[in-house]
Amino acid sequence: MISSGRKYLTAGLLSWQDCLAYRANAAIWALVDGCGSMVMALIWLSVFRDRGEIGGYSLNQMITYYLVASAVSLLTTPHMEYNIIWEIRQGLLSGYLTRPADRYTMHIVSETVWQVMKFLMFLPSYLVVCWFLRRYIIITLTPLNLLFFCSAVLLAYLINCGMKMLLGSVAFWVTETRGLFQVLECLWGLLSGEILPLSLLPIWLTVIGGFLPFKYVVWFPTELFLDRVPVQEAVLGLGLQVCWAVVLLVVSRLVWMRGLAVYEGVGG
Amino acid sequence: MKWGCSMPTTPVITARHLSKTYYTFRKPEGLRGALRSLFYRERVAREAVKGISFTVAPGELVGFLGPNGAGKTTTLKMLTGILHPTAGEAYVLGHIPWKREKSLLKQIALVMGQKSQLWWDLPAADTFLLNKDIYELSTSDYRRRLKELTELFELEDLLHIPVRQLSLGERMKCELAACLLHSPTVLFLDEPTIGLDLVSQRKLRHFLKEYNARHQLTIVLTSHYMQDVKELCRRVVVINHGVIIYDGSISDLLAQHAGTRLIKLTWAEPLPDQQVQEDMRRSLMTLAENSERRFRIAEFDAWSTVLEVSGGATAAGRTAAQITAVIPVSDVQIQEPDIEKVMAELFSTAPASGTDGAGDERAGSRL
Amino acid sequence: MRYRKTATAGKPTSKPMWKPAFAPLLKYPRLAFRSAGLCLSREMQYRLHFWGNTFAGVLWTGMYLVFIEVILSHTGSIAGWDRPAMYVLYGTYMILEAVAGMIIMPNMIKLTEYVRTGELDLLLTKPIDTQFYLSVRHWEFAGTGRALIGLTAVAYGLKHTLASGGGGSVLPSPALHPATLASPAILSWLSYLVSLVAAFLLLYALWLLSVLIIFWVIKAEGLGYLFVPIMQIARYPISAYPPLLQAAFRTVLPLAFVAAAPSSALLGRATPAGALVSLVVAGLFLLISRAGWLFALRHYSSASS
């Protein structure tokens, strides 16, 4: 058990080396992913000018919402689905399957490392923006809140990993998946709360979103940070997050195994 | 056309003291190095090509030989205008290539074995049409050229299939045809047979020969497959560490480097045990000491032996006769040494000029 | 092969006498159209991808519309742009984004690839301006449908501006008044079109400049996408940004001339002279990007291996 853990640790360190070589690329992707939220925060800034609150958010809350949401979204959104389809399409997977390391786990490990790299490259520009907007940032974190927030972020990452692995596994059956990815990414943006706080969305969208895991990856952690969630609801939300994470990881794992069987059956 | 009949024409390509130095920055080690590199970076110069000179006459087929990183591709890139040289001058058809004048570019073509100009998802015919526009060919010229190349390269069945479905060999043929559509006067080939299987390699060489027989085309080719050069080119330029170490005909190169011949003897009966083999070896060595041409035992086993003799074919024949008079053999073969071996020997020797073998030179202080 | 003899003479092939002097220039548009056709036929081979992308494009468009609508439902206007004006602005931005996605972005992404893989070498040996060829070689039509949505949004916004007689804080435009629909209206449409073209050229120049970094930083595969978030700044009114950024968007990073300038022209917020200013700015940045390109190419041809 321990030795197999070390195997993935070593693999993680190796991908860190790889990431270092591509840090310019990481910076670009961080900017591409994070820039939209910053711009939207600025738009709110101009809109609020003469208003005390909009949709239950004060100006400070709104600005903080976007700043936190962008960081959470960047940190918890891996993109291994593209790596998976690449490996399957190029037939690289066959080579990896002969190695004594589980490819499913490896995808999560190496993508996690890449996430950290991307976040580090994002940090400088993020901090500059935060410094300029420092007047509007409110931090009312109690230790309990902080604990809630951190666990929520971690769980959000696991939920996302499950979703992305599931999405990537589709490539075992469907050859052209990029269009699908694009559509889902769009829904993700809207229903996760990255574009707007979910409470501002039209009611019917909020209702639909309630049945989906998306709201737990950005909106929920961010609201926890803003201290806008009562303790009871927070605990309930964390519980639901755990459920989603477990369900998605298990389902994606099953689908992955099923897909592998298909892949090996065809002969890759 | 005949190889030897060089009219007193002006050369198609002239290179004089052509040099190319790349500068890179040394990657600092550790955090301290990284911090230091903010203020001071050590510049490392790598001389890829060190002042080479040569000319190529019209219709000549010249092969550039050399190990990886010897400077052949860099030279080719300077001649096709992709790279500016650090020093020296070059003329191709009277133009300075790196000025990239359209009138010159219309007369040359470059094929790179590892890079493709064909569109991956589209049939090669579509790329041909694009080239028709780029090279401003008239429709009638284009049709005639296409017809000729299709026949010559046997492309009929390949032109309308998406390139991604072609084999590497088929793709290379299309690549070549795409480059020849505009009837270039000078064709540059950079490792054209790389990655091809032996049959495709042979075919490609055959097509090139065929095409050159029909049109008076000057071909400059780089390769590290000796066979390419041996079959296509009379003249070979050997480059190592950025310096020309040989420029002349292949046969001269072989003769100069090796009047060596290999004599392969197959024993009449396999030598049964160690003792007999030792005896045989000893008697061969005695023969070697007494013969007019000393020979060397290159290989030796229970079934056969290979001997190395200097002095060319006659000496080898005489030596073989001398041996077979004494030792019973079932078969005698006299072979020329492998060109690959000659090359390996050439490359392993130090460069003719310049003491800097590695080609690396620190120039940090010059920054 | 008698025909060959003339061509091997080592001199540029002489052209037939009857060809007009501008004939060589005609090859540039012809090449662009030929490439467009080839790309379309290639794209049609991947139909699922095509429709997926088209659908996703429409969805993204709708999503940002939700963002704008939510704000407008609470405030009525953004930085002095009321709902109809915002629709004109967003529609205009969408048209530009669709066209940029069709021709600018695919080529810029490919450019980074060419430099990374060294395939640029082969393009450099072609008797054609490399920058031009690199800029018209790749087309992608999947997102182009958005231009229609954009056009619809512009029409919708314009209709409501007229209905409310200018409305909100937007100055009533004499040019758009139904009573004086004659030449002034045509003039504002004309200046809209001119500044739209200028905006397109400006986007091209800025995108090219952002991509040239690849000549120095080779390991940056995503560089072709770097300009996407920057371009998105132009989706909103420039006056909505903090003063410092506004100043930047009017000078060094002139995003004010992307969607806001044409929209202002159409809404009568700017004089027709504004369109000429747009053209001048676009021209200036085209020159800068050309200089940048030549500089990068010089670096390439002295540093690449």
Side-chain angles (χ1 to χ4, degrees):
Chain A
M1 231 13 230
I2 292 170
S3 75
S4 90
R6 180 172 300 162
K7 184 160 64 192
Y8 295 111
L9 194 70
T10 315
L13 285 174
L14 271 177
S15 21
W16 177 253
Q17 295 282 321
D18 197 42
C19 287
L20 268 181
Y22 282 91
R23 55 187 184 278
N25 213 23
I28 291 165
W29 284 120
L31 207 65
V32 171
D33 288 347
C35 197
S37 296
M38 303 292 160
V39 169
M40 284 186 281
L42 292 179
I43 299 301
W44 279 113
L45 190 61
S46 97
V47 166
F48 257 98
R49 216 152 267 165
D50 43 356
R51 284 175 184 79
E53 68 155 56
I54 292 177
Y57 284 83
S58 69
L59 172 61
N60 290 358
Q61 277 182 325
M62 191 61 98
I63 300 296
T64 313
Y65 180 91
Y66 277 97
L67 288 178
V68 175
S70 64
V72 169
S73 153
L74 195 83
L75 199 57
T76 64
T77 314
H79 290 289
M80 61 268 257
E81 74 270 27
Y82 290 98
N83 300 345
I84 296 174
I85 57 166
W86 171 256
E87 273 183 22
I88 294 176
R89 288 263 293 278
Q90 300 289 313
L92 297 170
L93 184 58
S94 313
Y96 288 119
L97 288 178
T98 59
R99 294 184 198 170
D102 179 46
R103 198 63 200 149
Y104 178 96
T105 318
M106 286 298 291
H107 269 301
I108 294 183
V109 169
S110 58
E111 193 60 22
T112 304
V113 173
W114 175 249
Q115 280 301 107
V116 174
M117 186 71 205
K118 211 166 69 173
F119 190 72
L120 285 179
M121 297 313 289
F122 177 60
L123 223 45
S125 45
Y126 182 68
L127 290 178
V128 168
V129 174
C130 285
W131 191 79
F132 272 110
L133 295 173
R134 65 191 180 284
R135 271 196 298 149
Y136 307 102
I137 297 175
I138 40 165
I139 301 177
T140 52
L141 276 179
T142 60
L144 184 69
N145 257 349
L146 188 67
L147 183 71
F148 278 177
F149 174 69
C150 290
S151 354
V153 169
L154 192 69
L155 286 166
Y157 184 64
L158 291 178
I159 292 175
N160 267 328
C161 280
M163 279 202 285
K164 295 292 174 123
M165 288 307 291
L166 188 62
L167 209 52
S169 305
V170 174
F172 282 117
W173 290 274
V174 187
T175 43
E176 294 173 54
T177 43
R178 276 162 190 273
L180 179 74
F181 291 176
Q182 287 277 312
V183 171
L184 279 172
E185 221 159 278
C186 181
L187 286 178
W188 193 97
L190 190 62
L191 295 177
S192 68
E194 199 195 351
I195 306 280
L196 277 166
L198 290 184
S199 52
L200 292 180
L201 285 182
I203 298 292
W204 59 275
L205 265 177
T206 328
V207 172
I208 295 174
F211 295 104
L212 297 168
F214 298 107
K215 66 183 255 191
Y216 294 103
V217 293
V218 176
W219 189 70
F220 180 65
T222 310
E223 289 283 288
L224 281 177
F225 187 93
L226 286 175
D227 198 14
R228 287 169 55 94
V229 189
V231 176
Q232 256 181 321
E233 272 180 48
V235 173
L236 183 70
L238 284 170
L240 283 171
Q241 268 194 313
V242 173
C243 291
W244 273 117
V246 170
V247 167
L248 283 165
L249 285 172
V250 168
V251 169
S252 65
R253 178 75 198 186
L254 288 176
V255 172
W256 169 269
M257 299 306 272
R258 230 5 206 304
L260 270 191
V262 172
Y263 179 78
E264 282 162 345
V266 178
Chain B
M1 82 158 256
K2 278 268 163 47
W3 306 104
C5 68
S6 56
M7 291 159 285
T9 44
T10 46
V12 172
I13 300 171
T14 311
R16 275 188 227 119
H17 311 296
L18 214 49
S19 297
K20 179 73 193 175
T21 308
Y22 296 123
Y23 291 100
T24 46
F25 291 102
R26 258 175 94 84
K27 220 179 166 175
E29 279 152 34
L31 183 65
R32 254 180 52 165
L35 284 177
R36 236 178 52 136
S37 73
L38 286 176
F39 308 99
Y40 172 85
R41 291 199 296 177
E42 195 174 15
R43 200 159 74 144
V44 180
R46 194 171 66 82
E47 289 182 77
V49 174
K50 303 175 191 167
I52 64 175
S53 305
F54 59 89
T55 59
V56 177
E60 225 180 344
L61 273 125
V62 183
F64 278 75
L65 268 177
N68 279 334
K72 357 180 249 305
T73 302
T74 304
T75 308
L76 210 65
K77 282 185 177 179
M78 288 192 278
L79 293 179
T80 46
I82 295 166
L83 289 182
H84 283 247
T86 317
E89 51 185 7
Y91 297 94
V92 176
L93 297 168
H95 299 261
I96 295 171
W98 45 90
K99 283 189 175 170
R100 294 221 310 277
E101 288 156 307
K102 298 203 171 37
S103 50
L104 169 66
L105 294 179
K106 275 185 191 171
Q107 296 180 78
I108 65 168
L110 170 67
V111 178
M112 298 177 114
Q114 282 167 313
K115 289 162 193 169
S116 174
Q117 64 160 321
L118 300 172
W119 285 48
W120 187 246
D121 287 315
L122 293 174
D126 286 334
T127 305
F128 288 8
L129 273 175
L130 273 181
N131 277 3
K132 169 185 181 278
D133 286 347
I134 292 173
Y135 288 97
E136 297 166 62
L137 301 177
S138 74
T139 308
S140 59
D141 272 1
Y142 170 75
R143 288 219 181 105
R144 188 172 56 232
R145 293 290 297 160
L146 186 62
K147 187 159 171 280
E148 191 200 340
L149 291 168
T150 309
E151 279 165 14
L152 183 65
F153 292 170
E154 299 160 8
L155 298 175
E156 299 85 10
D157 306 327
L158 309 179
L159 282 183
H160 301 287
I161 303 171
V163 170
R164 62 166 188 272
Q165 291 169 15
L166 298 178
S167 74
L168 188 58
E170 291 167 338
R171 216 167 73 211
M172 217 48 222
K173 283 202 292 188
C174 293
E175 202 82 48
L176 203 58
C179 277
L180 292 172
L181 267 178
H182 63 283
S183 334
T185 317
V186 188
L187 176 63
F188 295 92
L189 298 155
D190 188 27
E191 308 273 3
T193 54
I194 201 157
L196 294 184
D197 59 82
L198 286 174
V199 180
S200 307
Q201 284 187 23
R202 206 175 306 145
K203 261 195 178 156
L204 198 72
R205 286 194 287 263
H206 168 76
F207 289 137
L208 276 175
K209 257 193 233 171
E210 193 88 333
Y211 185 87
N212 194 65
R214 289 200 199 180
H215 309 283
Q216 188 184 325
L217 180 73
T218 309
I219 298 182
V220 177
L221 165 137
T222 75
S223 184
H224 56 253
Y225 289 125
M226 312 303 165
Q227 209 60 30
D228 283 349
V229 178
K230 195 178 162 192
E231 279 188 23
L232 282 173
C233 314
R234 271 272 170 114
R235 176 175 163 205
V236 57
V237 176
V238 182
I239 298 188
N240 200 14
H241 302 301
V243 179
I244 294 181
I245 49 177
Y246 178 84
D247 182 352
S249 75
I250 290 209
S251 45
D252 278 358
L253 174 69
L254 287 173
Q256 168 193 327
H257 240 265
T260 313
R261 289 294 180 277
L262 301 175
I263 306 171
K264 190 179 177 193
L265 303 172
T266 311
W267 313 127
E269 278 166 32
L271 309 178
D273 56 43
Q274 203 92 42
Q275 190 55 48
V276 182
Q277 285 177 25
E278 264 317 298
D279 289 346
M280 180 62 85
R281 192 191 279 269
R282 209 165 303 131
S283 52
L284 273 177
M285 264 140 78
T286 332
L287 269 174
E289 270 159 40
N290 298 332
S291 74
E292 58 178 306
R293 290 274 180 184
R294 298 173 63 104
F295 57 84
R296 199 173 70 80
I297 303 173
E299 284 165 39
F300 186 95
D301 60 31
W303 293 273
S304 62
T305 185
V306 177
L307 309 173
E308 249 183 56
V309 198
S310 62
T314 30
R318 221 172 295 156
T319 312
Q322 215 176 349
I323 298 171
T324 48
V326 186
I327 297 169
V329 294
S330 66
D331 186 33
V332 182
Q333 284 174 32
I334 298 180
Q335 297 166 336
E336 286 186 29
D338 203 354
I339 184 170
E340 316 255 347
K341 271 191 184 161
V342 176
M343 287 300 149
E345 215 170 292
L346 257 179
F347 296 154
S348 64
T349 53
S353 67
T355 49
D356 187 6
D360 270 353
E361 180 193 322
R362 284 188 193 182
S365 53
R366 266 191 257 152
L367 234 184
Chain C
M1 277 290 138
R2 214 167 300 122
Y3 151 76
R4 282 289 312 164
K5 286 276 155 60
T6 53
T8 44
K11 279 180 202 144
T13 43
S14 54
K15 291 202 180 64
M17 296 293 280
W18 48 266
K19 265 197 181 175
F22 58 83
L25 287 179
L26 278 178
K27 84 170 169 179
Y28 287 89
R30 199 179 319 134
L31 202 59
F33 281 120
R34 173 102 67 198
S35 300
L38 291 183
C39 291
L40 188 63
S41 68
R42 183 185 51 178
E43 222 173 330
M44 288 302 146
Q45 293 176 24
Y46 300 102
R47 273 187 307 178
L48 200 64
H49 178 76
F50 181 84
W51 290 115
N53 266 358
T54 303
F55 184 58
V58 172
L59 230 80
W60 278 109
T61 303
M63 220 175 62
Y64 285 104
L65 208 57
V66 170
F67 176 74
I68 290 170
E69 272 292 346
V70 164
I71 293 186
L72 288 174
S73 72
H74 287 282
T75 63
S77 72
I78 300 174
W81 293 63
D82 62 359
R83 197 160 169 277
M86 274 308 291
Y87 267 80
V88 171
L89 178 72
Y90 189 45
T92 305
Y93 172 78
M94 225 140 49
I95 294 169
L96 283 166
E97 199 185 58
V99 177
M102 176 177 77
I103 165 108
I104 301 177
M105 183 158 107
N107 282 301
M108 293 302 128
I109 291 169
K110 273 286 172 184
L111 194 157
T112 62
E113 212 177 297
Y114 288 142
V115 177
R116 269 192 309 118
T117 60
E119 259 174 70
L120 185 61
D121 289 352
L122 286 176
L123 297 181
L124 285 174
T125 60
K126 303 274 181 213
I128 188 167
D129 184 85
T130 313
Q131 186 193 343
F132 175 84
Y133 189 37
L134 276 172
S135 305
V136 300
R137 206 167 181 228
H138 294 276
W139 299 64
E140 218 176 293
F141 296 94
T144 316
R146 275 176 301 171
L148 283 180
I149 304 178
L151 216 58
T152 315
V154 171
Y156 173 85
L158 208 57
K159 194 180 140 215
H160 283 258
T161 314
L162 290 170
S164 61
S169 57
V170 179
L171 292 170
S173 152
L176 292 173
H177 205 275
T180 55
L181 206 70
S183 56
I186 292 170
L187 198 62
S188 68
W189 272 107
L190 198 68
S191 46
Y192 180 67
L193 281 180
V194 168
S195 25
L196 210 55
V197 170
F200 168 74
L201 295 174
L202 180 64
L203 279 178
Y204 165 74
L206 292 174
W207 209 315
L208 180 62
L209 281 170
S210 78
V211 151
L212 290 179
I213 305 169
I214 195 72
F215 283 89
W216 286 269
V217 186
I218 298 288
K219 284 182 177 174
E221 286 158 312
L223 195 60
Y225 299 90
L226 179 64
F227 192 69
V228 174
I230 299 171
M231 178 172 73
Q232 285 172 1
I233 291 169
R235 180 154 43 203
Y236 311 103
I238 297 300
S239 44
Y241 293 98
L244 199 67
L245 285 178
Q246 275 189 45
F249 296 154
R250 296 208 161 93
T251 50
V252 284
L253 184 61
L255 295 168
F257 295 92
V258 175
S263 305
S264 302
L266 193 58
L267 292 166
R269 295 172 150 218
T271 56
L276 294 179
V277 175
S278 285
L279 268 185
V280 170
V281 171
L284 190 68
F285 273 82
L286 276 178
L287 282 178
I288 294 174
S289 68
R290 176 72 180 177
W293 162 259
L294 291 176
F295 179 67
L297 208 58
R298 212 172 313 131
H299 173 78
Y300 181 80
S301 61
S302 65
S304 89
S305 55

